[in-house]
Amino acid sequence: MSVIVRRLGDAMPPGFTEFAEFFGSWESEFWPYRKDEVKNDYNSIVFGGTSASDQLQIMQQPEFRLLHNLLPAGTSPVTAFCQIYSLKYRRQMQTTDISGLYTIKFTLWPYVSAQPLGSNSADFEYKVFNSDKGTVPVTVALPPLALMPA
């Protein structure tokens, strides 16, 4: 089986090339997931671990919040997580030879929401509302590697 559900096209979302270049300029400093425990098992892209704590710990970091806020409005926390790590772990995901907009299956903790910290607060925290690990399709942009810094 393939991790790719379908290819949507060559075009990147508006502003995404700049996002990818910005992230690429410091991606090696971005939080590794469980010592790079991300793999393509030919059915889905699997984020390792037995609980959502590693995923949530990264999502609570200011760097993740910055990147999530730079993605298009309405991007869900899990979509942001998958998009960011799709850029960081192209080799582990075995997607270095493709580019474009793809829907890919990811296995992780998909039931995450952003909860406001208070009724008058613009700040929020990410929370898991179901602790089951699952496989979900997520649409991510994979820019040509020529656009990504080495």
Side-chain angles (χ1 to χ4, degrees), residues 98-115:
I98 61 173
S99 65
L101 197 59
Y102 288 85
T103 300
I104 296 176
K105 293 180 283 184
F106 290 88
T107 300
L108 70 169
W109 288 268
Y111 309 106
V112 177
S113 63
Q115 300 291 316

Side-chain angles (χ1 to χ4, degrees), residues 35-111:
K35 299 180 182 169
D36 302 326
E37 200 175 303
V38 177
K39 68 178 182 178
N40 178 334
D41 74 357
Y42 303 101
N43 186 45
S44 69
I45 303 302
V46 179
F47 287 87
T50 57
S51 78
S53 63
D54 295 305
Q55 184 176 319
L56 279 178
Q57 181 181 2
I58 289 167
M59 294 173 104
Q60 302 297 3
Q61 300 302 319
E63 296 91 345
F64 179 86
R65 291 169 180 270
L66 168 71
L67 293 170
H68 186 186
N69 286 328
L70 291 175
L71 288 167
T75 300
S76 75
V78 170
T79 298
F81 186 86
C82 292
Q83 178 60 77
I84 293 163
Y85 280 104
S86 290
L87 296 175
K88 182 171 179 68
Y89 289 124
R90 296 276 301 260
R91 193 173 316 113
Q92 290 89 330
M93 290 175 53
Q94 300 174 20
T95 59
T96 56
D97 59 340
I98 61 173
S99 65
L101 197 59
Y102 288 85
T103 300
I104 296 176
K105 293 180 283 184
F106 290 88
T107 300
L108 70 169
W109 288 268
Y111 309 106

